[in-house]
Amino acid sequence: MSNSKRAAGRKAAERVQSGQIVGLGTGSTVFYTLERLGERVRDDGLELRGIPTSTDTESKAREFGIPLMTLDELEGRIDLTIDGADEINADFHMIKGGGGALLREKVVASLSREVTIIVHAEKVVADLGAAFPLPVELVPFARTPVRRALQALGAEPLLRVDQHGNPFLTDNGNEILDCAFEGGIADPAALSLALAGIPGVVESGLFLDLCDHLVIGLADGGIEERSRAQPARN
Ligand code: 5RP
């Protein structure tokens, strides 16, 4: 598994060109992208400015010597964002948020000219949500009504907890309900709209039309790449 994550993460880092502003996703696959970008900065003089999607990525990027900036300093678009995913289907729709960074990841992806997603092969699925529960970020105040609203949509929501059994808090001070859907998510677009309409829900881990290029790490350390025929955004 770590072989395939490493292969995908490092390969995606080669897509970055000097002078670019790069969205830096979150997770164990992105770790290898950060590692490779750090090498390219140090050894090849690659010039980039990264926008991290989590405090975890921010500290790792600093350790690897990657220059950083904030969204407040951004004029125009991010050139390229590289991020992981928990599941991705044939339409390039995704579930993200296993690492709890879904809100910042979605903001950064939506501001990007190109989003490259890095996964290992088992994450490419036929039906979203059949195996991986959908993370939904919510304000703690609204936990109970949001849970009921999610149940009414057919979900079985489970509050994410940390290693001490306390509610897991995102970088934004919010909680996450991980939502299982028996048989998977039949209509991701309809569900995404319904979730956005629940007061107290901040964001969902359904990422629709937010992947342009996919790098799949294979078990033998090889790579498969796929691109969308039509760019998701211009
Ligand atoms: C974090 C995410 C991650 O990209 C996703 O969970 C994949 O992580 P990993 O590369 O560790 O498997 O969405 O919010």
Side-chain angles (χ1 to χ4, degrees):
M1 182 88 73
S2 69
N3 249 358
S4 49
K5 288 187 178 189
R6 185 170 192 272
R10 289 179 68 87
K11 178 78 179 179
E14 304 303 331
R15 296 180 73 78
V16 175
Q17 293 168 21
S18 220
Q20 285 190 325
I21 295 173
V22 181
L24 304 172
T26 295
S28 54
T29 316
V30 164
F31 171 86
Y32 295 109
T33 304
L34 301 176
E35 176 188 66
R36 180 66 191 128
L37 287 176
E39 289 169 9
R40 291 188 64 198
V41 168
R42 187 189 63 222
D43 301 338
D44 309 334
L46 176 75
E47 288 184 11
L48 80 150
R49 284 182 300 159
I51 299 183
T53 54
S54 61
T55 51
D56 182 58
T57 290
E58 181 177 347
S59 63
K60 287 186 173 117
R62 285 193 200 287
E63 279 170 35
F64 284 123
I66 299 170
L68 299 178
M69 62 181 278
T70 68
L71 282 183
D72 296 323
E73 299 168 271
L74 179 71
E75 288 169 20
R77 310 274 295 275
I78 296 167
D79 294 297
L80 166 66
T81 284
I82 301 173
D83 202 351
D86 299 301
E87 288 186 343
I88 184 161
N89 70 11
D91 296 325
F92 280 22
H93 297 325
M94 298 177 276
I95 288 181
K96 285 181 51 54
L102 61 157
L103 173 58
R104 296 189 189 191
E105 289 172 336
K106 197 177 277 189
V107 170
V108 166
S110 69
L111 292 168
S112 303
R113 275 198 198 92
E114 180 194 308
V115 178
T116 286
I117 293 295
I118 47 179
V119 294
H120 60 77
E122 291 83 31
K123 291 180 172 183
V124 182
V125 299
D127 298 309
L128 291 179
F132 198 91
L134 175 69
V136 174
E137 181 164 346
L138 61 139
V139 293
F141 174 77
R143 186 198 299 164
T144 298
V146 167
R147 180 190 274 135
R148 290 192 187 122
L150 292 169
Q151 285 167 335
L153 290 174
E156 284 174 47
L158 188 66
L159 183 68
R160 193 179 296 188
V161 293
D162 64 18
Q163 65 271 33
H164 309 294
N166 299 317
F168 170 88
L169 290 183
T170 69
D171 284 347
N172 318 297
N174 296 318
E175 296 177 352
I176 289 183
L177 285 165
D178 288 304
C179 297
F181 287 88
E182 193 161 351
I185 298 169
D187 186 341
L191 179 62
S192 182
L193 262 182
L195 294 171
I198 301 174
V201 166
V202 179
E203 193 50 84
S204 91
L206 271 175
F207 280 50
L208 311 180
D209 296 320
L210 286 172
C211 172
D212 305 290
H213 187 78
L214 178 60
V215 181
I216 306 168
L218 308 175
D220 63 2
I223 287 288
E224 184 190 326
E225 294 192 65
R226 299 181 194 167
S227 279
R228 265 179 89 110
Q230 297 273 326
R233 300 161 312 286
N234 55 27

